Amino acid sequence: MTPTSGNLPGIEIIANSVANILNQRFIAHPAWISALEMGLLIVFGLFISFFLPRLKAGPGALTSLGLLVGYFSLGIILFFASNIWLRLTPHLFLLVFGYLFVISKRFLITEKTKEKVEADSKLPLEEEGVKDLLYNLGLDYERKRQFSKALATYQLIVQDGGSFKDLDERIPKLKQAEATLIFGTGGTKHPGEIAAPMAETGTKPTLGRYEIIGEIGRGAMGVVYKGEDPKIRRTVAIKTLSLSEFDEGEVPEIKERFFREAESAGLLNHPNIVTIYDCGEEQDLAYIAMEYLEGEDLLPYTRKENLLPIRDVLDITAKVAEALDYAHKKNVVHRDIKPANIMRLKETHDVKVTDFGIARITSSSKTKTGVVMGTPAYMSPEQASGKKVDGRSDIFSLGVVLFELLTGQKPFKAEDMTSLMYKIANEPHPSPRSINPRIPTVVEKIIDKALEKDREKRYQSASQMAEQLKKVVTKMDEIVRRQSSADAS
């Protein structure tokens, strides 16, 4: 065999052929090559018939391509290196068309299986009770504000063009509620508010397993709801935290701190600390379910015209100090002691401290140096300067509360935040007796010690402050009893 071309002159073809014969340069096809070709043809056939169908799409494609490239390369190497002719076309055709056949067969089988599964998985809507189940599922989605899922569920029920219960009216209302939720139409939405979009459908909303009964109050980061645990019929207060109020990058850390702090607060079991029952997350809201209290906070009693009797103020403060001491021993610092976070129950006049850990959760900052956390007017000097805080910071804040409950004004006031921080950290507080002369001297000394700038000079534990306050209350009760006895005699 000699290379020829129709473009070559006849004399060159003859000369080339003679030269190849004289020099013994031939393109050979020995017997062992024929055996190799047949063996590889059988191997490729077995691969396509038995191994390729068992491989996944990616490995199957890579293996087939590897065999094709490898065989083609072997033929090229033998031809140019040893002038040996290895037949390429049959094997390459077998690999290419065999691979295409297997893939096509697999695709057709998959499609048939998919069609069969889809046919088998169609809901038997005509069977009794199926539509009712779907309707109730849609209502559950509505209560959780998952309006798109509720709509999809209702569409399944009416896909045959029929009507079912109140879906002819409910579906348009639900679409309107979804638009309200997405585009924020229908008024400004307060962070954590879930009732506004639900008003479109008339469905009672839920958070987790809790049914929302009404609204208790509103804060900067969320709404506090009155709810009920339907399993045990227990009334709870549900405080929400709107995660949408934080930057997207902050949300994972905020959620982590939220549940960590809620867990810490849930470990507190004290008669003067509100009980935490549960916490969870639903869509853009994190929430804490806690003990529902029939009462009011101490904020109304900070006005001069509405001050409580001194004895009651001291008793309340002592109970709060005992609660703080218990929490501090559990390594939980409140960080936001203020009148609004101290509840006084209506019937028993017992005291409950609320929002343990909430200040740490809702602040966008951390408990690191250089960070301020808490309500400004009740901050300790170390809080105001951004230092790390401990239980003694709560004692300072409680001293501010005691001062305010006895005098009707805060010990530190300023026109702006910077001036307020400066006063807290550097200027002495006024004498509470100069504002309310009825305050006993010993109580003024308790306030002075609680409001020490240097925390090393402050009460080192809340129990110390509670003990001194209870001694004063006991002394006042004795004086009252003596006066009553004297009047009786």
Side-chain angles (χ1 to χ4, degrees), residues 32 73 94 104 135 140 147 161 178 210 251 261 302 338 340 371 395 399 401 417 427 443 454:
W32 65 269
S73 301
L94 177 62
S104 300
Y135 181 81
D140 285 339
F147 297 142
E178 185 178 33
Y210 303 100
V251 170
E261 293 296 331
T302 59
K338 58 185 178 182
V371 175
I395 294 173
V401 172
M417 182 72 70
E427 294 186 4
V443 174
D454 184 355

Side-chain angles (χ1 to χ4, degrees), residues 138-154 171 173-182 194-201 203 205 283:
L139 290 179
D140 285 339
Y141 282 138
E142 278 191 51
R143 295 185 188 102
K144 296 180 182 298
R145 298 176 299 131
Q146 299 177 1
F147 297 142
S148 59
K149 290 184 179 180
L151 279 171
T153 305
Y154 293 149
I171 289 177
K173 290 181 179 179
L174 196 57
K175 290 180 178 178
Q176 179 62 38
E178 185 178 33
T180 301
L181 189 65
I182 294 174
I194 63 176
M198 305 299 293
E200 301 285 346
T201 63
T203 306
Q283 297 192 66

Side-chain angles (χ1 to χ4, degrees), residues 73 82 114 119 122 145 164 179 192 208 220 236 248 265 272 276 365-366 393 401 405 409 417 447 480 484:
S73 301
S82 304
K114 183 179 176 182
K122 284 185 178 178
R145 298 176 299 131
F164 184 78
V236 297
E248 188 174 347
N272 297 119
I276 302 294
S365 54
K366 295 81 178 171
S393 178
V401 172
L405 290 174
Q409 71 178 52
M417 182 72 70
I447 294 174
V480 170
S484 298

Side-chain angles (χ1 to χ4, degrees), residues 350-458:
D350 283 342
V351 176
K352 293 277 188 177
V353 183
T354 66
D355 282 4
F356 264 96
I358 303 297
R360 181 169 177 167
I361 295 164
T362 55
S363 174
S364 60
S365 54
K366 295 81 178 171
T367 54
K368 297 177 182 177
T369 302
V371 175
V372 173
M373 185 178 300
T375 304
Y378 301 91
M379 285 182 182
S380 63
E382 55 268 26
Q383 273 182 298
S385 57
K387 298 178 181 177
K388 293 184 73 172
V389 301
D390 55 26
R392 291 171 293 183
S393 178
D394 285 345
I395 294 173
F396 186 94
S397 300
L398 184 58
V400 176
V401 172
L402 178 58
F403 186 103
E404 188 175 14
L405 290 174
L406 291 174
T407 64
Q409 71 178 52
K410 296 178 178 65
F412 305 104
K413 295 185 293 183
E415 296 295 328
D416 56 76
M417 182 72 70
T418 304
S419 301
L420 178 62
M421 297 295 183
Y422 179 83
K423 285 187 176 183
I424 291 174
N426 299 283
E427 294 186 4
H429 60 276
S431 166
R433 296 188 76 246
S434 65
I435 304 170
N436 183 0
R438 296 185 297 109
I439 298 174
T441 304
V442 64
V443 174
E444 184 175 58
K445 290 180 179 180
I446 292 174
I447 294 174
D448 291 343
K449 190 170 182 63
L451 295 182
E452 281 283 356
K453 308 292 185 185
D454 184 355
R455 54 182 160 185
E456 298 298 330
K457 296 179 180 179
R458 215 175 292 159

Side-chain angles (χ1 to χ4, degrees), residues 190-193 218-224 239-246 250 254 284-286 358-359 361-364:
H190 188 83
E193 186 175 7
R218 299 190 172 203
M221 305 305 293
V223 180
V224 183
K239 186 154 192 171
T240 63
L241 173 67
S242 178
L243 299 175
S244 60
E245 296 300 302
F246 299 93
E250 290 183 316
I254 291 294
D284 60 339
L285 292 180
I358 303 297
I361 295 164
T362 55
S363 174
S364 60

Side-chain angles (χ1 to χ4, degrees), residues 23-301:
N23 295 317
Q24 295 293 298
R25 291 198 304 268
F26 305 120
I27 298 173
H29 189 265
W32 65 269
I33 281 292
S34 298
L36 179 63
E37 290 173 348
M38 182 57 66
L40 290 177
L41 204 60
I42 294 172
V43 170
F44 290 169
L46 292 173
F47 168 74
I48 290 171
S49 301
F50 299 104
F51 294 99
L52 182 59
R54 298 183 180 182
L55 295 175
K56 293 183 178 180
L62 290 175
T63 306
S64 301
L65 181 63
L67 290 175
L68 188 145
V69 173
Y71 187 74
F72 183 80
S73 301
L74 177 63
I76 295 297
I77 292 170
L78 287 175
F79 185 84
F80 286 103
S82 304
N83 292 330
I84 294 176
W85 175 32
L86 180 67
R87 298 179 189 274
L88 299 178
T89 305
H91 301 74
L92 299 184
F93 266 88
L94 177 62
L95 283 173
V96 172
F97 287 105
Y99 176 79
L100 293 176
F101 173 77
V102 170
I103 294 302
S104 300
K105 182 181 177 183
R106 181 182 294 173
F107 176 77
L108 292 174
I109 292 175
T110 303
E111 285 298 307
K112 287 182 179 179
T113 305
K114 183 179 176 182
E115 290 175 4
K116 186 175 184 301
V117 169
E118 288 178 350
D120 293 341
S121 62
K122 284 185 178 178
L123 289 170
L125 295 178
E126 300 307 319
E127 291 187 13
E128 185 178 358
V130 173
K131 288 188 176 181
D132 286 316
L133 289 173
L134 286 175
Y135 181 81
N136 291 330
L137 177 62
L139 290 179
D140 285 339
Y141 282 138
E142 278 191 51
R143 295 185 188 102
K144 296 180 182 298
R145 298 176 299 131
Q146 299 177 1
F147 297 142
S148 59
K149 290 184 179 180
L151 279 171
T153 305
Y154 293 149
Q155 295 293 351
L156 281 175
I157 300 175
V158 298
Q159 63 184 0
D160 57 357
S163 58
F164 184 78
K165 292 188 176 180
D166 62 344
L167 291 188
D168 289 341
E169 299 177 359
R170 183 171 291 277
I171 289 177
K173 290 181 179 179
L174 196 57
K175 290 180 178 178
Q176 179 62 38
E178 185 178 33
T180 301
L181 189 65
I182 294 174
F183 299 109
T185 56
T188 302
K189 183 174 177 293
H190 188 83
E193 186 175 7
I194 63 176
M198 305 299 293
E200 301 285 346
T201 63
T203 306
K204 184 179 291 186
T206 61
L207 270 176
R209 69 173 187 269
Y210 303 100
E211 295 179 354
I212 303 301
I213 298 174
E215 185 179 309
I216 299 175
R218 299 190 172 203
M221 305 305 293
V223 180
V224 183
Y225 293 102
K226 182 180 180 181
E228 184 181 73
D229 186 339
K231 293 183 179 179
I232 56 177
R233 295 299 173 189
R234 177 166 60 191
T235 303
V236 297
I238 304 173
K239 186 154 192 171
T240 63
L241 173 67
S242 178
L243 299 175
S244 60
E245 296 300 302
F246 299 93
D247 294 335
E248 188 174 347
E250 290 183 316
V251 170
E253 185 179 359
I254 291 294
K255 286 164 57 176
E256 181 185 354
R257 275 194 286 134
F258 181 88
F259 293 117
R260 185 173 64 246
E261 293 296 331
E263 181 182 1
S264 298
L267 296 175
L268 302 179
N269 183 19
H270 190 275
N272 297 119
I273 297 177
V274 66
T275 303
I276 302 294
Y277 297 132
D278 190 14
C279 64
E281 176 189 357
E282 190 167 292
Q283 297 192 66
D284 60 339
L285 292 180
Y287 64 88
I288 293 179
M290 62 187 72
E291 179 183 5
Y292 177 74
L293 304 175
E294 288 281 358
E296 60 180 346
D297 60 48
L298 297 184
L299 204 55
Y301 303 111

